[in-house]
Amino acid sequence: MKFISTRGNDSALSAGHAIAKGLASDGGLFVPEYFPQVTITELEEMLNCSYAERATKVLKKFLTEYDEKELLSACEKAYSKFEDSDPAPIVKTDENFYIMELFHGPTLAFKDVALTLLPYLLREGCNQSGIKEEILVLVATSGDTGKAALEGFKNQPGVKIMVFFPSEGVSDMQKAQMTTQDGDNVNVVAVKGNFDDCQTAVKRIFSSKEINLELLNKSVKLSSANSINFGRLAPQITYYFSAYLDMCESGEINMGDKINFVVPTGNFGNILAGYYAKRMGLPIEKLVCASNSNNVLTEFFASGDYDINREFFKTMSPSMDILISSNLERLVFELSNRDCAITKARMDQLKQSGKYSIDEAGLEKLNEEFYADFCDEEDCLNEISDFFEEYGYVLDPHTAVAVSVANNFKRYTGDELPTVVLSTASPYKFTQSVLKAIGGKVEKDAFLCAEKLYSLTAMPVPEQIRSLKGKERRFNKVIERNETEKAVLEFVK
Ligand SMILES: *Cc1c(COP(=O)(O)O)cnc(C)c1O
């Protein structure tokens, strides 16, 4: 299987090479040459398999040059870091309503599912493509990718990792997780700006010939742990398959039945993985794209116009506070019938004027596969509180956005199919907001809020949170947006 750039000017590469590279040289994103198919018979063969076995089967469809045995052992090792070695357990909360809990990994967010495996995929990708240089993984984070990537790559030989996060755009707990990170190959820097600023800066570094040359002189090559990297995306495809199979096993659905997935969306990586699963043949009816008040995607799905010239809101669901959803480029590429020139033109328009539009045919296609809506701050608080009252289940603010949109979806369309909401983070990463929602008095200190949350909900405080308290802060640097290049060069000095 070869990988091509959405913008067409980069030669086709093997999976390993595309993963090692992260972003195509023309600024485009790597996509598979075609969607490999998974038949119903193959799905049936995956029943009663472990998550790691299912992951291996799905991944192998794309990573054709990877050794299957090695891939399996890497998956087993990665997913042993999750509670019960299951990164995606399903909880049924109501008739035809399910929550897929993706937050039982080392850093309590769904990013762990991919980032526990990415170090192996990258190392192997470098080996396969003969890359001998040291790898510098650059990460822009809206809060959760940073910590998950740091945990995945810390103390890995031959790799350094540098994380940029928006100085005022993450929760206190997320900040504590990142700034106390251990490991001798890591660096964490706060940037004055929002996530889009961080992501734009990182992308600029990737496509800067001068910086890449300067790094190469020091025998360093860049790679990415953001979902622009196919190596991040691929492991996320698996849990859509696994959820479906789990529901077949437990008798909730029959093999071949269609179901919906509802995804709290920011950079469009998670939901795009669902779209890939659908294109591979998984019986998915609708993919529901849930946004917070930064509802640029909701508007895009309604009108076909993508326009980032709008107010940016800081919300309770900071990991979705994004206006430039990078992975949408991969979908725009599909909607144009894989036309690289059209995709490139649209992305150039986005860069120049902050907007672009897709045509009627593209919009029609979009609405066949997706439903999109958003949830504002007030509705998010209400959803956390209502859901806790009704089911005794505590939602984090991102998942609450998705549950609220799932309810709208059911109400407006009359859809009655089994619907799975992807739960992307533990409520303990956002203690102040969750406490506020369920009526506790909010303290300034995030750890105090965690204790209060425990006393109100009896939901145990995860060890990953308890052990953070009192941990020494190693990284205090705050830089301007235009100082990211300099920070990178200093780090590799
Ligand atoms: C990253 C993140 C999201 C958004 O996922 P995308 O792949 O960027 O769309 C949603 N919720 C949480 C908790 C996240 O960390």
Side-chain angles (χ1 to χ4, degrees):
M1 167 83 69
K2 287 273 188 277
F3 286 75
I4 53 174
S5 164
T6 47
R7 302 191 194 174
N9 291 323
D10 216 348
S11 49
L13 300 178
S14 70
H17 203 162
I19 291 170
K21 215 167 160 188
L23 193 68
S25 319
D26 58 12
L29 307 189
F30 285 114
V31 290
E33 254 181 337
Y34 60 91
F35 289 104
Q37 296 300 298
V38 177
T39 62
I40 293 286
T41 316
E42 283 175 291
L43 276 179
E44 278 166 348
E45 284 164 8
M46 281 192 247
L47 288 167
N48 303 309
C49 286
S50 70
Y51 189 93
E53 286 164 338
R54 288 171 180 169
T56 305
K57 289 242 160 60
V58 173
L59 287 169
K60 182 70 182 155
K61 298 257 174 195
F62 295 101
L63 313 180
T64 44
E65 290 90 357
Y66 283 63
D67 180 78
E68 191 159 347
K69 275 213 188 87
E70 260 182 54
L71 195 54
L72 176 61
S73 100
C75 287
E76 279 169 346
K77 189 163 161 234
Y79 300 132
S80 71
K81 295 177 181 148
F82 288 73
E83 241 174 82
D84 303 324
S85 295
D86 185 359
I90 302 260
V91 175
K92 182 174 186 174
T93 54
D94 208 336
E95 204 45 48
N96 281 336
F97 203 86
Y98 308 82
I99 293 187
M100 170 157 50
E101 297 183 341
L102 298 168
F103 57 80
H104 296 292
T107 76
L108 306 173
F110 88 94
K111 310 291 200 298
D112 285 325
V113 183
L115 283 161
T116 47
L117 189 64
L118 186 63
Y120 159 76
L121 298 179
L122 183 64
R123 197 174 340 111
E124 183 53 26
C126 288
N127 287 345
Q128 285 173 15
S129 40
I131 294 172
K132 298 268 188 297
E133 289 86 359
E134 182 178 50
I135 295 290
L136 173 60
V137 177
L138 287 188
V139 182
T141 184
S142 55
D144 289 328
T145 298
K147 178 63 182 176
L150 288 162
E151 276 303 309
F153 284 105
K154 74 170 178 201
N155 298 331
Q156 292 268 341
V159 185
K160 277 199 168 91
I161 171 163
M162 182 156 195
V163 171
F164 295 102
F165 74 89
S167 59
E168 302 309 321
V170 300
S171 80
D172 290 352
M173 212 59 102
Q174 287 176 316
K175 198 183 272 187
Q177 278 187 311
M178 288 187 282
T179 54
T180 59
Q181 179 66 44
D182 44 77
D184 52 20
N185 61 341
V186 305
N187 196 359
V188 178
V189 180
V191 178
K192 287 183 198 161
N194 58 36
F195 170 74
D196 291 318
D197 298 321
C198 295
Q199 177 161 256
T200 303
V202 165
K203 278 191 167 180
R204 195 174 56 225
I205 295 172
F206 267 98
S207 43
S208 157
K209 286 213 171 64
E210 297 84 62
I211 294 195
N212 278 285
L213 209 61
E214 202 164 333
L215 291 174
L216 213 51
N217 282 336
K218 300 186 167 111
S219 200
V220 174
K221 249 183 142 74
L222 294 175
S223 190
S224 164
N226 282 99
S227 50
I228 50 176
N229 191 329
F230 186 76
R232 252 294 294 287
L233 212 53
Q236 296 178 180
I237 300 171
T238 304
Y239 46 72
Y240 289 91
F241 280 90
S242 189
Y244 190 88
L245 294 163
D246 281 351
M247 286 170 68
C248 288
E249 278 177 9
S250 61
E252 299 294 328
I253 56 171
N254 294 314
M255 181 62 76
D257 288 354
K258 290 207 162 173
I259 65 172
N260 306 308
F261 286 99
V262 186
V263 190
T265 303
N267 218 5
F268 211 76
N270 200 359
I271 193 167
L272 186 84
Y275 174 76
Y276 275 33
K278 186 174 187 200
R279 294 291 300 267
M280 291 168 76
L282 190 68
I284 297 176
E285 178 63 30
K286 279 275 194 283
L287 290 157
V288 180
C289 174
S291 301
N292 65 21
S293 305
N294 294 298
N295 56 359
V296 58
L297 285 166
T298 316
E299 250 181 54
F300 174 67
F301 282 89
S303 65
D305 303 323
Y306 194 82
D307 188 351
I308 64 164
N309 302 299
R310 58 171 63 228
E311 196 182 338
F312 177 87
F313 298 104
K314 269 175 60 179
T315 73
M316 287 179 281
S317 43
S319 299
M320 298 158 71
D321 290 346
I322 295 175
L323 293 181
I324 308 173
S325 293
S326 278
N327 273 293
L328 195 63
E329 177 167 349
R330 287 186 166 113
L331 184 63
V332 165
F333 175 72
E334 300 302 332
L335 295 172
S336 69
N337 293 320
R338 306 199 128 207
D339 188 319
C340 300
I342 291 180
T343 308
K344 181 176 184 319
R346 286 179 181 152
M347 294 307 130
D348 286 345
Q349 280 166 12
L350 180 63
K351 199 166 176 188
Q352 276 146 26
S353 61
K355 56 184 175 189
Y356 64 85
S357 301
I358 56 167
D359 55 25
E360 271 304 316
L363 186 59
E364 216 168 277
K365 255 195 258 175
L366 204 56
N367 287 308
E368 273 166 32
E369 319 259 9
F370 294 90
Y371 179 91
D373 202 351
F374 76 102
C375 164
D376 67 18
E377 294 292 272
E378 197 187 332
D379 285 344
C380 180
L381 284 177
N382 289 337
E383 192 59 65
I384 297 173
S385 141
D386 292 352
F387 211 80
F388 181 58
E389 228 165 80
E390 188 155 2
Y391 306 106
Y393 187 102
V394 190
L395 299 166
D396 99 280
H398 304 76
T399 311
V401 164
V403 169
S404 171
V405 167
N407 292 337
N408 292 349
F409 165 67
K410 295 242 163 194
R411 199 160 40 238
Y412 295 140
T413 64
D415 178 282
E416 288 181 353
L417 292 177
T419 296
V420 181
V421 171
L422 275 66
S423 176
T424 47
S426 158
Y428 278 109
K429 290 191 103 164
F430 308 94
T431 45
Q432 283 105 327
S433 304
V434 177
L435 197 59
K436 182 174 167 195
I438 61 174
K441 185 173 169 290
V442 180
E443 309 281 343
K444 216 175 164 327
D445 181 72
F447 293 97
L448 207 54
C449 290
E451 283 168 33
K452 286 187 135 191
L453 198 54
Y454 172 66
S455 67
L456 283 172
T457 64
M459 175 181 52
V461 184
E463 170 56 26
Q464 295 96 313
I465 295 292
R466 279 186 281 131
S467 63
L468 260 188
K469 201 179 165 181
K471 207 169 166 192
E472 187 206 348
R473 220 171 130 154
R474 291 180 66 201
F475 302 100
N476 297 305
K477 205 167 177 183
V478 185
I479 65 170
E480 300 290 337
R481 272 179 268 184
N482 60 7
E483 294 176 325
T484 45
E485 282 91 344
K486 202 175 94 201
V488 168
L489 293 173
E490 263 169 31
F491 181 48
V492 296
K493 201 160 58 185

